[in-house]
Amino acid sequence: QVQLMESGGDLVQAGGSLRLSCAASGGSFSIDVMGWYRQGPGKQRELVATINKGAGTYYADSVKGRFTISRDEVKNTVFLQMNSLKPEDTAVYYCYARTGYLSVAYWGQGTQVTVSS
């Protein structure tokens, strides 16, 4: 069983920056994909960014050019650098990890990001 521990959520003013971290531990199989989803007030959970073992990345259009995802494969940790934050980025951000074998998905508990205008 993989455990995901997120950190870095906070209250920030519009235009500011935050860096989220998520460390994965446990489990028997290596993790292939790690990433971040978010769920804003009254909204469905949406994909923000992912990074695979080959360092290939994907970004939602709404965050392209502002957010950067990176990964430390040795420490099984994924980071999300968020710049030029907007009030619409306010959400609970969830860390996501998927194993390469059997594609089992795991979720973190979520970390709150609030962007004030």
Side-chain angles (χ1 to χ4, degrees):
Q1 190 81 359
V2 174
Q3 286 84 41
L4 301 175
M5 181 64 70
E6 301 130 326
S7 62
D10 206 343
L11 169 65
V12 64
Q13 287 190 333
S17 298
L18 281 176
R19 187 184 194 223
L20 304 183
S21 301
C22 173
S25 61
S28 302
F29 305 113
S30 65
I31 294 172
D32 182 20
V33 178
M34 296 189 79
W36 296 89
Y37 283 69
R38 68 185 181 187
Q39 187 165 15
K43 298 180 181 179
Q44 289 188 326
R45 190 174 296 191
E46 62 175 357
L47 175 62
V48 176
T50 61
I51 184 167
N52 62 28
K53 250 192 169 179
T57 58
Y58 167 85
Y59 295 93
D61 287 342
S62 58
V63 306
K64 279 182 183 175
R66 300 187 298 122
F67 291 11
T68 302
I69 190 169
S70 60
R71 180 174 177 175
D72 183 334
E73 292 190 13
V74 173
K75 296 182 179 180
N76 254 349
T77 301
V78 64
F79 306 95
L80 186 68
Q81 178 66 43
M82 305 186 293
N83 299 328
S84 302
L85 282 161
K86 304 175 181 179
E88 50 263 44
D89 294 318
T90 294
V92 178
Y93 283 70
Y94 295 92
C95 181
Y96 164 85
R98 192 182 76 215
T99 62
Y101 181 67
L102 298 180
S103 294
V104 179
Y106 296 92
W107 295 91
Q109 293 294 313
T111 185
Q112 177 70 47
V113 172
T114 303
V115 184
S116 63
S117 57

